[in-house]
Amino acid sequence: MIRVQGGVRLDGTVPVSGAKNAALPAVLATLLTDQPVQIANAPHLADVETALELARALGKSANWEGDRLTLSGAVSVTRAPEDVVRRMRASFLALGPLLARLGQAEVPLPGGCAIGARPVDLHLRGLAALGAEVSIEHGIVRAQGALKGAVVHLDYPSVGATEQLMLAAALAKGVTVIVNPAREPEIEDLCALLSSMGASTHWEADRLSVAGQPALGGASHRVMPDRIEAGTYLLAGALVGGEVRVANIRPQHLEALLAKLSQAGLDLARGDDWVRITREGTPCAIDVETAPYPGFPTDLQAPWIAFLTSTEGRGVVRESVFESRFAHVPELRRMGASIDLEARTAIVLGPTPLQGAAVKVPDIRAGAALLLAALAASGETALDGIALLRRGYERPVDKLRTLGASIWET
Ligand code: UD1
């Protein structure tokens, strides 16, 4: 349980950790080689531990030294354990590397956050285009065959499907061209890791090519900063008030958010690796629609809605990436927010003063929205279900305390 005494302005600098969504595919990329791979700036998160548990179950050894992970040894098991895959959807990314490395793989259909149907059809069709025989029996995906480079067209620029195909293509024979790939910065991060392992990658207009190699070597890689964690703390400053400097980041990864914050009337300053946000007065409501990068990130939709409870006017938020990602809305309403929901659109009327309440974290980013709301609310909020929050945020209580928040864990 996290308890927050809200209404305390936030001031100071918060350092951002390595990106969860870059660290997870990086851990799974190590399945492609027997050589040691070092992953620096890896965040200590429950999801990263789950990825390590998966890698170990498949035969790798994995060790932490500070924020540096070293994975070594060969994969020897073709079947991913069901409980691990159900706990975290990104575990499904083991399919491509196992198949590419061992010629066969069995991975249960994934679970993960309850934010929509989240099918894996694009992953499976892509692997089939590379020559795999793919079947699903009793909830287990089975894939086998030797992989050959091919042109794969993605109907939607899915982050996971793009990563799955990159990982498989890195050990396929010849060049794979992914048409309409995801363009999230985490994809670039995976390109950098695969390149340092020996597979060359190349961007051209709407396509990403991966030249497969017979074998990949060891590498040393530094995970990019977490743009979603960065955006969450900027929105904390925007909602609660004060002067918050978010450090160790790449501001260019946050352009969509920064543009919206600036339109809302927040004062922003930026350097090469930091952004500072200052709130004075009442910002105005600004509409957002989530979209693949470089659009407004779906992972910041919930924190944006929390922010809109404090702005003047009517803010319309359309969720275009996941069909049912509004689990934070009923909890925010319990805290006093005025939000109408209609299919994929939330309409927030503000400003409404928030009141502390007992709330439950429904998923990682919804949890972040509730935490932000708790910081702004009058009185005490008790957040239950913080294990979910810890899947995506490293030491949130310590970090918020350095900003002056009155927050503690019980
Ligand atoms: C990743 C991120 C997640 C983020 C999301 C979108 C990780 C570990 N997670 O999730 O935090 O919210 O990108 O930026 O990196 N889809 C299909 N068929 C498929 C695959 C996806 O229809 O085979 C749909 C999904 O249901 C969803 C949309 O495509 O509606 C986007 O999903 P995708 O980009 O694949 O997200 P994830 O990789 O799951």
Side-chain angles (χ1 to χ4, degrees), residues 253-276:
H253 290 165
L254 288 158
E255 298 297 359
L257 172 69
L258 297 178
K260 292 286 178 186
L261 286 169
S262 171
Q263 284 167 36
L266 277 302
D267 187 27
L268 295 166
R270 66 199 265 181
D272 285 346
D273 66 352
W274 58 269
V275 173
R276 190 181 61 226

Side-chain angles (χ1 to χ4, degrees), residues 53-135:
E53 192 182 330
L54 175 60
R56 289 188 186 111
L58 297 172
K60 306 284 295 186
S61 72
N63 297 301
W64 284 101
E65 214 178 296
D67 68 1
R68 182 186 299 270
L69 269 172
T70 304
L71 286 103
S72 47
V75 282
S76 50
V77 177
T78 55
R79 184 171 184 149
E82 174 135 17
D83 60 319
V84 178
V85 182
R86 289 186 71 85
R87 214 182 308 151
M88 180 181 76
R89 180 180 165 86
S91 313
F92 194 67
L93 292 180
L95 184 66
L98 285 179
L99 172 64
R101 189 75 189 78
L102 302 172
Q104 55 176 317
E106 292 177 20
V107 180
L109 285 167
C113 277
I115 59 176
R118 300 184 90 176
V120 288
D121 53 325
L122 300 172
H123 298 235
L124 302 187
R125 258 188 271 145
L127 292 175
L130 296 185
E133 268 175 54
V134 181
S135 61

